[in-house]
Amino acid sequence: MPIALAREISPGLARCELTHLERRPIDLEAARREHAAYLEALARLGCEPVVLPADPQLPDSVFVEDTAVVLDELAVLTRPGAPSRRPETRAIREALAPHREVLAIEAPGTLDGGDVLRIGRELFVGRSSRSDRDGMLQLAELLAPRGYSVRAVEVAGCLHLKSAACQVAPGTILINADWVDRAPFRSLELIDVDPSEPFGANALLLGGMVLYPDSFPRTRERLVERGLRVEELETSELQKAEGGVTCCSLIFERAAP
Ligand code: CIR
C-alpha cells in the first residue's frame, strides 16, 4: 500500500507565501476540513496517510510536495525557492529516511517539487520563480545514474509547472498552454483547461481516479468527456494559499522489506 506523506496545516497559514494571488482571509477550520477530506480520499484510493504534525513557524508546510522528489529508487530533498520554506525539508528528510536513500539539492540551486512532473522515467522540470537552472542541473546529475532524464520547461504566469500541466491518465496531460508551452509534451495526449478556468490544470491522478477541485466544472466536464474518472474535492481555502491538489502529499510505494 503506497504511503501518502502529508503534514497538518500550520496555524500560521495566513502568513503563507503568495506570488500570483492577492492575500485573502483564510478560514483555518475550513482549510483543515478540506485537508481532512483530501486525506480521506487518498485513503479511499488505497494510500496510507502518514501525517506529520503542524509547525506554527512554517506557514506553508502543509504543501509537502515542494520539499522532495520521491522516486522508486531514491528521494531528493529540494531546496525550495522561497527562503521561508527551506526549513520545511528537515522533518521531511526524517520521514523519508526509513523508506529511501535521501539525496539533496544543495545551495545555491533551488527547486520546488511542484515544478517536477514525472512521466515514466522522464522528469519535466519547470523553470519558474522557485526553481532555477542550477537546481534542475543538480537533479539531472543525481538521477542520471538511475536512468531518469530531466528536461527543462519554461513556466510563466503561474507558480509551478504543475499549476500548468499535470498527468490525468497514463500519457495524458491536462494543460494550461498560456502558462507552459505545449511543445515539450508533444508526444503525449493533451487536454486543455477551459479558457475560463486558468487555475484548473492541477489534478492528482491516483489509482485510475483524478482527484480534482470542485471549482473548475467546465474543465472537469472535459475530463469526463474523455472517459476519465473524476472525484471532486473542495479546496477553496487551500487555493487562497496558492495550493492545489498535488501539493498536499508525497505519494510513494513503501520500500521492499
Ligand atoms: C507557496 O507559495 O509556496 C505556497 N503558498 C503554495 C505552494 C503550493 N505548492 C504546490 O502547488 N506544489
Side-chain angles (χ1 to χ4, degrees), residues 67-71 73-79 89 92-93 96-97 100-106 111 138-146:
T67 61
V69 177
V70 187
L71 303 168
E73 302 84 352
L74 80 167
V76 180
L77 281 187
T78 64
R79 182 169 179 271
T89 57
I92 302 296
R93 177 191 285 276
L96 290 175
R100 293 289 187 282
E101 177 188 1
V102 181
L103 306 178
I105 301 297
E106 306 290 347
L111 185 75
Q138 287 188 43
L139 185 71
E141 202 165 304
L142 293 173
L143 297 185
R146 317 288 175 130

Side-chain angles (χ1 to χ4, degrees), residues 9-28 31 55-63 66 82-85 88 130 159 236-244 247:
I9 293 178
S10 170
L13 181 65
R15 301 189 309 273
C16 66
E17 296 283 340
L18 286 177
T19 309
H20 297 278
L21 296 182
E22 294 289 323
R23 199 167 294 278
R24 287 188 290 154
I26 298 177
D27 179 337
L28 203 54
D55 185 332
Q57 307 303 324
L58 298 174
D60 281 305
S61 48
V62 64
F63 302 123
D66 295 319
S84 72
R85 300 202 56 191
E88 292 177 26
R130 299 289 177 86
L159 185 57
S236 59
E237 297 309 302
L238 291 169
Q239 278 176 35
K240 291 179 190 168
E242 229 167 329
C247 61

Side-chain angles (χ1 to χ4, degrees), residues 113-249:
D115 275 315
V116 181
L117 171 64
R118 184 178 72 82
I119 309 288
R121 299 198 75 85
E122 182 157 32
L123 274 66
F124 296 90
V125 177
R127 292 270 299 275
S128 68
S129 60
R130 299 289 177 86
S131 301
D132 66 9
R133 183 178 148 77
D134 185 11
M136 188 266 297
L137 290 176
Q138 287 188 43
L139 185 71
E141 202 165 304
L142 293 173
L143 297 185
R146 317 288 175 130
Y148 289 94
S149 64
V150 166
R151 179 169 181 174
V153 179
E154 292 301 325
V155 172
C158 62
L159 185 57
H160 289 128
L161 172 58
K162 277 189 272 190
S163 323
C166 282
Q167 184 165 235
V168 287
T172 302
I173 302 290
L174 179 62
I175 189 167
N176 176 343
D178 288 337
W179 291 343
V180 68
D181 198 7
R182 292 172 204 278
F185 308 108
R186 165 176 323 113
S187 64
L188 302 164
E189 197 158 321
L190 301 183
I191 302 176
D192 289 288
V193 295
D194 187 276
S196 67
E197 297 172 343
F199 289 90
N202 188 262
L204 177 60
L205 174 62
L206 187 60
M209 181 68 79
V210 180
L211 287 181
Y212 193 65
D214 65 359
S215 26
F216 310 115
R218 293 183 172 164
T219 304
R220 174 186 176 277
E221 209 39 50
R222 292 181 180 208
L223 298 175
V224 171
E225 276 166 14
R226 299 288 268 264
L228 303 182
R229 292 167 65 217
V230 180
E231 178 169 334
E232 286 190 304
L233 289 172
E234 199 180 333
T235 60
S236 59
E237 297 309 302
L238 291 169
Q239 278 176 35
K240 291 179 190 168
E242 229 167 329
V245 283
T246 58
C247 61
C248 294
S249 58

